[in-house]
Amino acid sequence: MSQLVNLTIDGKPIQAPEGANLLQTALDNGIRIPFLCYHRKLSPTGACRMCVTRIKGQKGLVMACTVQVEEGMEVTAFDDELESARKRTLEYLLAEHNEHYDGTYYDEFWYWIQHYDLDIPENRHYPNIYRQMHYPVDDTSPILSYNASKCIKCFRCIKACDEVQGKNVLSFSQRGIASYIVAGIDHWDDSECDGCGECVQLCPTGALVEKPHREEINLERVEKTVRTTCPYCGVGCQLLLYVQNGKIVRADGVEGIPPNDGRLCVKGRFGYDYVAHPDRLTHPLIKKNGTFEKASWDEALDLIARKFSEIRKRYGTQALGGYGSAKCTNEDNYLFQKFIRIAFGNNNLDYCTRLCHASTVTAMLKSLGSGAGSNSIEDFAQTDCLFITGNNMIETHPVTATFVKNGQYKGTRVIVCDPKWTKMVNYADIWLQPKLGTDVALLNGMIRVIIEEGLIGRDFICNWVDGGMEAFEKLREKVSGYTPEETERITGVSPDKFMEAARIYARSATAMIATGMGLSQQQVGTNMVFSLINMMLITGQVGKEHAGIDPPRGQNNVQGVTDIGVSPINFPGYIPVGNQDNRRKLAQLWDVPFEDLPDKPGLTTVEIMNAAYDGQIKGMYIMGENPMMTDPNLNHTGESLQSLEFLVVQDIFHTETTPYADVILPAASFAEKEGTFVNSDRRVLRVRKAVEKPGLAQEDWRIVDQIARRMGYNVGQYENARDIFEEIRQATPILAGVTYDRIEHEGLQWPCPDTSHPGTPTLFLEGFKTSNGLGILNPVDYTPQTEPASPEYPYVLNTGRMLYQYHTSTMSRRNKALSDFANESYVLMHPGDVRANGFRDGDRIRLSNPRGQLQTTVRSSQQVKPGELFMPFHFREALVNKLTRSDLDPDSRIPPYKFSACKVEKVEMSGG
Amino acid sequence: MLKLKANIMRVQRTPRKEQQIDQEPVDLSLLDSLIEKYKHKKGNLIPLLQGTQDLYGYVPYEAFLKLSRETGIPLNEMYGVATFYTQFRLNPVGKHIIKVCHGTACHVQDAETITDALEDALKIEDGETTDDGLFTLESVACLGCCSLAPVMMIDGNTYGKLTGKKAVKIVKELKISERN
C-alpha cells in the first residue's frame, strides 16, 4: 500500500494514495467532474478536455485525468469559468456531431450535452457541419458498426484494443477534423479484429455499437439486467445480461471485479443467442418404435425410475453409470454424484475432465498433492516469465490471454511451446516448435540445460522436495542422455532456442507455467506433465507469489465439478472413496447406511463406454454431455451406446448423442437457473437466473431429485440451489467457508475452510498438499508414439479448438455472430504438403485411417509443420474423433486426441 | 484488377470473399532489400513507407500487407501513419503532378477557382489522377512564392498570377506536347 496524501477538492478534504489519478480520486469521492475520454482501465489521454480543473499554484486550466495527486494539493473542480470552458468544449464537439439517437446504447456524450442544456438549439453558437464532413460508416464487421459521424475521437476504443485486450487492431486514419477510426486497412471485416467488443463497451458515444439485436434492443424497454457467470470457457467472466421481452438482448462485461474486470471475448459477449433458440428442448421425449414422442414429466420419470431399478435388480449395482457435466452448476452436479452413489450404488461416474485434464490432474496430484491451478488470473500480468505449453490461450481462454499480453507489454518474458503456430507466438520472446508428441524429450533437454548451467534452486530442492538432493540426483541421471544434440534429433527444435528458453525460465525471479490440452491429451500425457513439474521443482518456480503451474480449465465449471466429487475415485473435496472416516461422515450427512456408500473406485469416461460395449454396463444417465462428438474413436462409441439397454440423455438441445437415447429430458440453460460455477483460478462464482425456462424444461438438479424419489431413494430435501450449496459446504472441506452471501459481489477462491477465511489466491505458499508437504520429482523418459506416421498413413493429425466455436458447438453454432466469423470445418496443411499432394487451397479432401474417415476443406498454412495436420473438433459434418484413438494414457486414462496417423486424398466432385 | 489473399498467420475463421482492389499488381520482391534494411530498427515505419513510395511512386495496398507481415508492424498503424501525412499516396500518380497552392496568399487570391477549373478540365477531383495517367491534381499548402499568387507548380515549374483559364491553358499545352 502506497503512502496516503491529503488534498482538497472544492474545499473537501480527501485522502488518496500517492500518485493516484486526480480525476479518479475525485470520482471515487463523489465529485463528478465531467469527462469523456478517460476510463479507469486506460492510460489517461487528455483528449476531450472536459475534466479541466484549477490547481492552486499551477498556471491555467489543468486536465484532472493527466495529473497525479500530491500532498497539499488544492483543487477547484467547479466554478463558473471551469463550467463555461467545459460547455464551450462540448459545443465544439457537438458542431461536428451527428445527434441522431436510436436508443440502442448509453450515450455519455449526450448526457453531458443535456447537463449543459446544449440539447436546446437556441443555446448553441455554431452551426452543425457533420454532413459536410462526409464521415464514413464501416458496417462490414459481423458484430459491430462504426459510424464516424458519432465519433468524438476520444481514443477509448483504440486504447481498449491495445491496452486492455492487447490486440492493436485500431488506429486513426486521416487527421484533424477529418480523422476517424480504422481497423486494419480501413475495412473492419478484413482486419484482425476478433470481435471481443471491448471497444464497443468502452465507447462513450454511439460511434461503435454492437450489431446483434440492434433492431430490437431499446435501453428504455430493458426490463432488467442480471449479473451472472459466462457459460463458455473456464475463465469465469462476469457478465451483465440485458433482458427485454423475456429475452437476452445484450451481454456486457462487469467492470471492476475479478476475474475479467469488464473484459470479454467474442463468445461471452455475442454467444447468448442459443438460450432463446427455437431448437431448445421443451418437453420430455420418449423413444417409441424408433421415433421420439413428446411425453409428460410423470410418464418420462416413471419410465426412467422403473428401468434403472430393473437394471440394478437384474444385473447388480455395477451395471449402471453416469456422466455429469462441466456445463452444469455445482449444485446440479453435486446432486448428480449423490444420486449415482446412492441410487446406482456405485462410483461409475465421470465427466469431460477425463478427456481434458485427467493427465494434468493425475501428475499434479502425485507431485504436488493438488490438481488445481496454483495462481490467480491477475498473476498472468505480473509474473516475470510465462512458459505457455500446449495451450492456445488466445483462442481457448481469450480473457486470460489479455492478462498475458498486458504483462508482456510491461516486460514479462513469454515462451511459447507449441507444434502449431498460435497467435501468442506474436507476443513471445521464443517460440519452440517441437514435433508432435515429443514434449518429454524437449522438457528433459531443458532440465538438463538448467542442471548443467547451475541454474537449479538448491535451497528449494533441499527444503521443498521429497528426498531432497538425492531425489534430484535421480532426475539428473534420467535426463543426462538428453543432450542438446539428442534433444534436437527427437524434437526438431534447435538447441539455441530451447537452451535460451530454459535459461529465461530458470533465471526469472518469478515464472509461471500455463499448460494445456497439447500436453495433456497425449498417450503419455501424465509423463509430459511430470517433466514439466520436474522443471518447476528444481528451479523453485513455485511456492511463491506469481509462480507455479496453471492448467486453464476448458469449460465453465470443470473445476467445480471435480471439486464437488463427480469422480470415480474421489468424493467431494478430493477425498478418495476409500477414506473410511470421510465415508462415515458422508453417510451421516446424506442419511444413508454406511455400508451402502460405495468405496470401490468406479469406471472412468472411456472405460464406461468400453464396459457398455462389453455388455457390463447396461444403463446410463448422461447429463449435459455429448460423447458422440467428444469421445475418441466415435464409431466404437456409437456401438457402445447402441448396446446399452437403457440410456437417458438430459440436455438443452438435441445433440449427436440424443438419437441413441431412450428418453431425452429437457434441462435449463445457465441463464435460467441459480447456482455456482468454479473457474480456473478456483474462484466460486454465482450464476443467476435471467430468463424463464422454455416449455417444460427444468433445472438439472430438480430432475435428478425426481428420478431418485421415484426409484425410492432420498437424495435430500432442498427448496433451492442455495440449500444444496449449504450441504456442499459440509461435504467439501475446501469450500466450507464459501456462502452465497459471501460471493454475492465477487467470487472467493478455495481453499476457504471457514467463513472468516479470505480465500486463497495462490496455492502452495506454505508447502504442497502431499502427505508430508513436500513436492515429488517423477523422472520420466521420452517414449516414441505407438502410432507413428507410416508410409500408408503418412500424416499426423493434431486436433484442437478455435476461437469462434466451442467444444461440440451445440451452443456456439446457434449464435449468428459466432457463425458469421467461422462456421465450417477445415484442416490446416503445410503449403509444401498441399502442393506435393496436388491439392489447392480450399479443395475438399478426405482424411482416413483404419478407424474411420471424414471429408473437410484443406487450408494451406504455415501454421503447421510439414507432415502434420491440424483440425478443429467442433463440426459434426467432419467428426474428427472418428479418426482419434482410445489408446489411453496408462496413468490417467486420457485418450491421445493430439496424435493420430492418417492419410489424405482429394475428393472428386461427382458430376464433373 | 488485383485479388488479395488474407494473411495466413492469424486466427482461423471463414475465408472472406477476396477484396477487390482497383490497383495494378506490382512486383513485391522490390521491397525485400528495403525490409531487410529496416526490419529490426526502431522507428522504421516512416522510412519503410517512404522507401516503398520511392519504388512504386505510391504505397500499394499489397505492399502494406507484405510490410506488415514481414516487419510485424500492425496494418492499422501503417495505414494510420500513411493517411496522416500528405507525403504518402495510396494510389498511383500521374506522369505530371499539378500542385495548386492553397496557402494564405493564394487562398485570398481565390485559389479555389484554379482548382475548380482544373477539376472541370481534367474531369477529376482534387487528389485524383486522370484516366490516361498523365496528370495528378493536388492541393498543397504554401509554395513559397506568395507575390505571384495564385500559383501552381507542375513538375518543378512554377506558374503565377493565374486565372482559371490560364491554368487550364497551361495544362492543355502540356497535354498537346505529350502527344507529339
Side-chain angles (χ1 to χ4, degrees):
Chain A
M1 188 78 193
S2 48
Q3 217 181 330
L4 291 177
V5 294
N6 296 292
L7 66 154
T8 62
I9 302 179
D10 287 343
K12 181 180 172 180
I14 285 168
Q15 272 199 330
E18 193 175 5
N21 183 290
L22 174 58
L23 176 58
Q24 190 63 50
T25 304
L27 296 171
D28 290 346
N29 286 280
I31 300 166
R32 284 201 66 193
I33 301 177
F35 65 92
L36 288 167
C37 69
Y38 176 78
H39 192 279
R40 173 187 59 83
K41 286 198 285 192
L42 310 175
S43 63
T45 305
C48 75
R49 312 194 74 85
M50 285 290 288
C51 67
V52 285
T53 50
R54 206 152 340 93
I55 299 171
K56 193 172 178 187
Q58 292 192 26
K59 267 193 190 162
L61 304 184
V62 184
M63 287 174 287
C65 72
T66 62
V67 174
Q68 297 183 345
V69 295
E70 283 166 24
E71 179 64 41
M73 212 176 227
E74 287 177 42
V75 182
T76 309
F78 291 94
D79 66 19
D80 288 348
E81 187 196 350
L82 288 168
E83 284 289 89
S84 101
R86 287 172 188 144
K87 190 168 173 175
R88 213 163 43 238
T89 305
L90 265 182
E91 236 189 300
Y92 285 134
L93 281 173
L94 189 58
E96 52 189 74
H97 193 78
N98 169 5
E99 290 165 43
H100 175 73
Y101 178 67
D102 64 2
T104 61
Y105 51 88
Y106 175 65
D107 194 335
E108 294 175 38
F109 179 63
W110 199 249
Y111 173 87
W112 291 113
I113 293 292
Q114 287 177 315
H115 180 86
Y116 287 101
D117 295 330
L118 288 169
D119 52 329
I120 302 160
E122 292 78 52
N123 291 346
R124 302 180 194 172
H125 295 90
Y126 314 109
N128 192 299
I129 57 156
Y130 97 85
R131 283 181 200 283
Q132 286 99 291
M133 294 308 300
H134 303 290
Y135 285 121
V137 171
D138 189 338
D139 204 23
T140 58
S141 161
I143 51 103
L144 61 83
S145 175
Y146 171 69
N147 185 344
S149 70
K150 298 197 71 77
C151 180
I152 57 165
K153 295 149 199 173
C154 67
F155 283 82
R156 272 206 216 170
C157 54
I158 296 180
K159 290 191 171 186
C161 197
D162 293 358
E163 295 177 6
V164 180
Q165 292 274 343
K167 290 172 185 162
N168 204 350
V169 177
L170 305 182
S171 281
F172 272 120
S173 172
Q174 309 297 336
R175 68 208 129 104
I177 192 173
S179 57
Y180 64 97
I181 304 291
V182 289
I185 309 188
D186 208 358
H187 195 260
W188 220 287
D189 198 31
D190 282 342
S191 75
E192 289 208 59
C193 169
D194 69 5
C196 72
E198 185 81 32
C199 56
V200 176
Q201 180 155 328
L202 298 197
C203 178
T205 70
L208 282 159
V209 185
E210 57 188 78
K211 231 182 221 177
H213 303 285
R214 181 99 193 251
E215 304 303 317
E216 345 170 23
I217 190 170
N218 185 319
L219 291 185
E220 280 185 10
R221 278 190 239 129
V222 164
E223 289 136 27
K224 58 177 170 179
T225 55
V226 179
R227 260 187 57 184
T228 188
T229 303
C230 177
Y232 287 98
C233 79
V235 177
C237 293
Q238 296 299 290
L239 292 180
L240 190 68
L241 299 178
Y242 291 63
V243 179
Q244 181 180 322
N245 294 331
K247 196 178 135 192
I248 305 167
V249 287
R250 181 166 291 172
D252 273 348
V254 180
E255 297 281 353
I257 52 166
N260 54 318
D261 192 9
R263 306 164 191 219
L264 292 177
C265 76
V266 63
K267 292 191 287 279
R269 194 180 296 277
F270 301 109
Y272 52 78
D273 278 357
Y274 75 91
V275 171
H277 199 279
D279 289 352
R280 281 290 298 275
L281 292 172
T282 53
H283 290 79
L285 300 169
I286 297 177
K287 198 187 257 167
K288 289 176 182 162
N289 304 319
T291 54
F292 286 105
E293 289 176 17
K294 279 187 185 172
S296 69
W297 273 110
D298 275 338
E299 199 183 343
L301 294 169
D302 283 340
L303 175 67
I304 294 167
R306 198 177 75 236
K307 285 285 186 179
F308 281 156
S309 299
E310 274 172 22
I311 291 172
R312 179 173 168 155
K313 205 166 153 195
R314 190 177 314 153
Y315 303 104
T317 51
Q318 291 306 314
L320 291 160
Y323 286 175
S325 174
K327 297 244 71 72
C328 297
T329 61
N330 293 319
E331 291 75 2
D332 293 331
N333 279 290
Y334 175 80
L335 220 60
F336 185 81
Q337 59 90 28
K338 192 172 169 187
F339 167 84
I340 298 282
R341 287 172 163 138
I342 295 175
F344 284 3
N346 64 39
N347 288 314
N348 294 336
L349 101 137
D350 210 347
Y351 74 110
C352 72
T353 194
R354 185 67 50 196
L355 308 175
C356 299
H357 269 309
S359 51
T360 321
V361 171
T362 304
M364 286 175 71
L365 276 175
K366 279 190 186 164
S367 309
L368 313 173
S370 170
S374 48
N375 302 82
S376 302
I377 192 165
E378 311 89 274
D379 295 348
F380 285 96
Q382 284 154 6
T383 181
D384 297 307
C385 168
L386 181 65
F387 185 63
I388 304 174
T389 172
N391 182 338
N392 179 8
M393 59 161 72
I394 285 186
E395 298 197 62
T396 59
H397 298 84
V399 173
T400 305
T402 63
F403 286 89
V404 176
K405 293 183 233 173
N406 298 160
Q408 190 262 351
Y409 185 74
K410 288 186 291 186
T412 301
R413 310 289 300 269
V414 177
I415 302 160
V416 170
C417 176
D418 209 303
K420 172 185 164 287
W421 179 92
T422 69
K423 183 85 192 265
M424 196 54 94
V425 168
N426 290 359
Y427 300 84
D429 290 65
I430 297 177
W431 174 29
L432 309 173
Q433 191 184 18
K435 290 178 197 155
L436 272 172
T438 61
D439 305 63
V440 172
L442 181 66
L443 289 161
N444 278 354
M446 288 173 67
I447 291 172
R448 187 178 180 279
V449 172
I450 290 168
I451 297 173
E452 290 292 309
E453 301 192 0
L455 302 174
I456 59 166
R458 191 171 291 269
D459 288 350
F460 186 88
I461 297 173
C462 293
N463 298 324
W464 287 67
V465 173
D466 194 37
M469 290 308 284
E470 247 168 72
F472 168 75
E473 281 306 320
K474 286 197 188 119
L475 177 68
R476 180 212 279 271
E477 230 166 83
K478 185 66 110 183
V479 301
S480 62
Y482 295 86
T483 59
E485 299 73 33
E486 179 66 3
T487 306
E488 182 182 19
R489 189 187 65 76
I490 300 172
T491 63
V493 182
S494 79
D496 52 327
K497 281 196 179 173
F498 69 76
M499 290 169 85
E500 185 57 19
R503 288 179 200 127
I504 293 175
Y505 177 81
R507 282 184 185 148
S508 294
T510 60
M512 276 163 61
I513 296 170
T515 172
M517 298 297 96
L519 242 64
S520 68
Q521 290 178 335
Q522 300 274 3
Q523 208 175 358
V524 288
T526 311
N527 282 356
M528 288 184 178
V529 182
F530 273 144
S531 43
L532 199 55
I533 294 171
N534 291 342
M535 182 171 83
M536 177 176 83
L537 287 176
I538 62 161
T539 50
Q541 294 292 20
V542 63
K544 54 188 176 189
E545 299 283 353
H546 311 148
I549 177 168
D550 295 86
R553 302 310 200 219
Q555 304 215 39
N556 49 341
N557 198 26
V558 176
Q559 186 64 54
V561 180
T562 325
D563 298 345
I564 55 85
V566 177
S567 160
I569 54 167
N570 288 331
F571 281 134
Y574 301 92
I575 303 170
V577 289
N579 180 327
Q580 299 305 326
D581 287 343
N582 181 61
R583 191 171 156 226
R584 201 162 284 119
K585 187 189 118 186
L586 271 189
Q588 199 177 10
L589 178 68
W590 291 355
D591 194 21
V592 289
F594 168 66
E595 51 283 358
D596 283 3
L597 266 193
D599 62 349
K600 300 235 163 11
L603 300 175
T604 65
T605 292
V606 180
E607 288 174 340
I608 290 178
M609 280 300 160
N610 289 341
Y613 187 82
D614 297 338
Q616 285 149 16
I617 296 266
K618 298 286 186 188
M620 262 192 88
Y621 183 6
I622 297 177
M623 175 175 86
E625 287 229 339
N626 188 7
M628 270 314 288
M629 202 139 160
T630 55
D631 276 18
N633 196 0
L634 282 180
N635 289 336
H636 175 83
T637 308
E639 287 163 21
S640 306
L641 289 174
Q642 230 138 22
S643 36
L644 289 171
E645 277 185 22
F646 192 67
L647 172 64
V648 177
V649 177
Q650 183 168 314
D651 215 307
I652 61 171
F653 288 108
H654 277 290
T655 66
E656 287 63 36
T657 307
T658 51
Y660 294 85
D662 295 283
V663 182
I664 304 172
L665 301 175
S669 77
F670 87 110
E672 294 146 7
K673 58 186 171 191
E674 300 285 325
T676 53
F677 293 153
V678 185
N679 77 348
S680 297
D681 43 356
R682 298 166 279 105
R683 213 181 291 267
V684 188
L685 300 158
R686 276 285 270 123
V687 177
R688 294 183 183 86
K689 181 175 168 174
V691 293
E692 291 302 322
K693 302 177 281 282
L696 303 179
Q698 286 203 38
E699 288 104 321
D700 293 272
W701 69 265
R702 287 192 199 272
I703 305 174
V704 173
D705 178 55
Q706 285 288 323
I707 297 174
R709 259 172 231 288
R710 287 169 204 240
M711 285 175 74
Y713 297 97
N714 174 18
V715 289
Q717 303 286 343
Y718 314 101
E719 283 293 314
N720 49 35
R722 183 187 284 257
D723 289 352
I724 304 178
F725 195 83
E726 284 302 308
E727 188 178 310
I728 292 177
R729 291 177 55 204
Q730 295 174 52
T732 317
I734 49 174
L735 297 176
V738 183
T739 67
Y740 271 30
D741 288 337
R742 288 191 74 192
I743 59 172
E744 180 63 26
H745 179 61
E746 68 176 74
L748 267 173
Q749 290 168 283
W750 67 253
C752 182
D754 59 69
T755 47
S756 57
H757 193 283
T760 311
T762 310
L763 287 184
F764 312 133
L765 292 182
E766 273 124 40
F768 297 108
K769 307 288 171 192
T770 48
S771 52
N772 59 3
L774 299 174
I776 298 164
L777 288 172
N778 291 281
V780 286
D781 260 319
Y782 165 71
T783 44
Q785 293 286 332
T786 55
E787 188 183 273
S790 64
E792 198 181 348
Y793 300 102
Y795 290 94
V796 180
L797 173 67
N798 180 9
T799 69
R801 288 167 279 177
M802 56 192 294
L803 174 64
Y804 298 104
Q805 294 296 343
Y806 182 77
H807 294 199
T808 73
S809 67
T810 313
M811 290 153 48
S812 60
R813 282 183 95 176
R814 289 183 168 93
N815 295 284
K816 185 174 180 300
L818 300 181
S819 295
D820 281 350
F821 274 110
N823 195 21
E824 59 185 44
S825 160
Y826 61 87
V827 59
L828 295 183
M829 189 182 227
H830 192 273
D833 290 336
V834 171
R835 272 196 300 278
N837 283 286
F839 303 155
R840 277 179 316 179
D841 188 60
D843 277 354
R844 292 291 291 171
I845 67 167
R846 180 182 295 112
L847 271 63
S848 62
N849 65 19
R851 290 175 292 276
Q853 57 155 297
L854 59 87
Q855 289 185 14
T856 186
T857 307
V858 65
R859 286 189 191 168
S860 174
S861 172
Q862 293 184 352
Q863 295 184 2
V864 292
K865 276 193 166 189
E868 296 180 359
L869 306 172
F870 174 86
M871 254 188 94
F873 76 98
H874 311 295
F875 301 98
R876 76 187 60 170
E877 307 86 293
L879 287 169
V880 75
N881 283 326
K882 283 185 174 171
L883 303 177
T884 54
R885 56 205 160 112
S886 45
D887 300 346
L888 305 182
D889 174 30
D891 296 310
S892 65
R893 320 304 292 161
I894 196 167
Y897 289 111
K898 302 287 186 195
F899 200 104
S900 323
C902 66
K903 63 178 178 183
V904 295
E905 59 204 325
K906 191 163 175 176
V907 177
E908 298 303 337
M909 293 295 170
S910 56
Chain B
M1 202 70 80
L2 174 78
K3 284 184 166 185
L4 291 166
K5 279 246 168 281
N7 183 352
I8 47 174
M9 285 310 216
R10 58 197 251 179
V11 169
Q12 292 289 324
R13 57 179 210 191
T14 306
R16 297 315 203 225
K17 232 171 109 186
E18 284 159 9
Q19 212 190 329
Q20 301 267 323
I21 300 298
D22 203 7
Q23 281 180 4
E24 293 296 317
V26 293
D27 179 7
L28 287 176
S29 65
L30 299 177
L31 286 170
D32 291 343
S33 61
L34 180 73
I35 292 171
E36 204 46 51
K37 184 172 171 193
Y38 288 110
K39 198 170 180 179
H40 300 294
K41 298 224 168 87
K42 257 197 154 167
N44 56 2
L45 176 47
I46 287 178
L48 279 168
L49 290 172
Q50 285 170 332
T52 307
Q53 183 151 302
D54 286 346
L55 287 168
Y56 305 103
Y58 68 108
V59 186
Y61 192 98
E62 270 181 311
F64 275 114
L65 300 184
K66 174 160 172 152
L67 288 173
S68 169
R69 198 161 53 229
E70 302 203 358
T71 63
I73 304 171
L75 277 175
N76 49 309
E77 232 170 275
M78 291 198 154
Y79 189 77
V81 169
T83 56
F84 182 87
Y85 292 107
T86 47
Q87 62 168 303
F88 296 115
R89 304 168 208 286
L90 303 192
N91 282 303
V93 281
K95 189 170 174 192
H96 307 287
I97 299 174
I98 308 168
K99 294 175 178 170
V100 181
C101 182
H102 282 254
T104 312
C106 291
H107 177 77
V108 173
Q109 294 291 334
D110 210 7
E112 201 59 47
T113 55
I114 312 292
T115 296
D116 285 350
L118 288 172
E119 280 179 346
D120 284 350
L122 295 169
K123 300 193 172 55
I124 52 174
E125 298 280 309
D126 188 16
E128 289 180 348
T129 302
T130 53
D131 283 345
D132 58 9
L134 276 183
F135 297 103
T136 298
L137 181 63
E138 277 185 357
S139 296
V140 296
C142 189
L143 284 171
C145 41
C146 306
S147 59
L148 298 175
V151 286
M152 70 175 178
M153 190 186 244
I154 305 179
D155 306 338
N157 299 318
T158 311
Y159 305 88
K161 305 267 185 203
L162 291 173
T163 61
K165 257 188 188 166
K166 269 193 200 167
V168 171
K169 196 175 160 214
I170 292 163
V171 171
K172 279 195 172 159
E173 276 167 8
L174 195 56
K175 198 169 175 179
I176 290 164
S177 71
E178 274 293 326
R179 283 208 195 115
N180 298 327

